[in-house]
Amino acid sequence: MIFGLSAIEVVATLLLAGSLFFCLAAVTGVLRLPDFYTRLHASGKCDTAGLSLALVAFALLAGDALTVVKLAFLGFFAAIANPTATHALGQAARRSGVPVWTARHGPPR
């Protein structure tokens, strides 16, 4: 027991801290990266990883098997929907002519 927490609670806390890290990385990527495509990549990857870690932590803390099954379904659908949505957004941006950032041209305006 660490600080009065059980081993499962410690693991869940570490998973939630990892989830927070990935969510903050997504925010930082959206704010700091130069163009739409790199921002989309950062937000898509980090949101999926952050949500997955949070759902695993919640499943560890859930005392009910039905709740764990519901969290597993939520994770499954999010793992399908997040990459599909980022792919669709990227394709729509490419088709509508959103420019790609290159180092010699500087950031897009």
Side-chain angles (χ1 to χ4, degrees):
M1 290 181 57
I2 300 173
F3 300 114
L5 298 175
S6 68
I8 291 178
E9 290 172 337
V10 170
V11 171
T13 302
L14 292 174
L15 288 170
L16 286 174
S19 174
L20 178 64
F21 169 77
F22 279 112
C23 291
L24 289 175
V27 169
T28 304
V30 168
L31 294 176
R32 299 283 300 167
L33 292 173
D35 71 337
F36 175 78
Y37 300 104
T38 55
R39 291 174 184 165
L40 183 66
H41 177 76
S43 67
K45 297 292 182 190
C46 291
D47 284 348
T48 303
L51 178 65
S52 299
L53 288 176
L55 289 175
V56 170
F58 296 149
L60 285 175
L61 294 175
D64 185 14
L66 181 61
T67 304
V68 173
V69 170
K70 289 178 183 179
L71 289 170
F73 276 123
L74 183 61
F76 175 74
F77 290 126
I80 291 173
N82 284 349
T84 303
T86 55
H87 178 76
L89 285 170
Q91 286 294 325
R94 185 185 60 81
R95 288 184 183 145
S96 65
V98 175
V100 176
W101 178 81
T102 58
R104 62 178 179 219
H105 294 114
R109 298 176 204 261

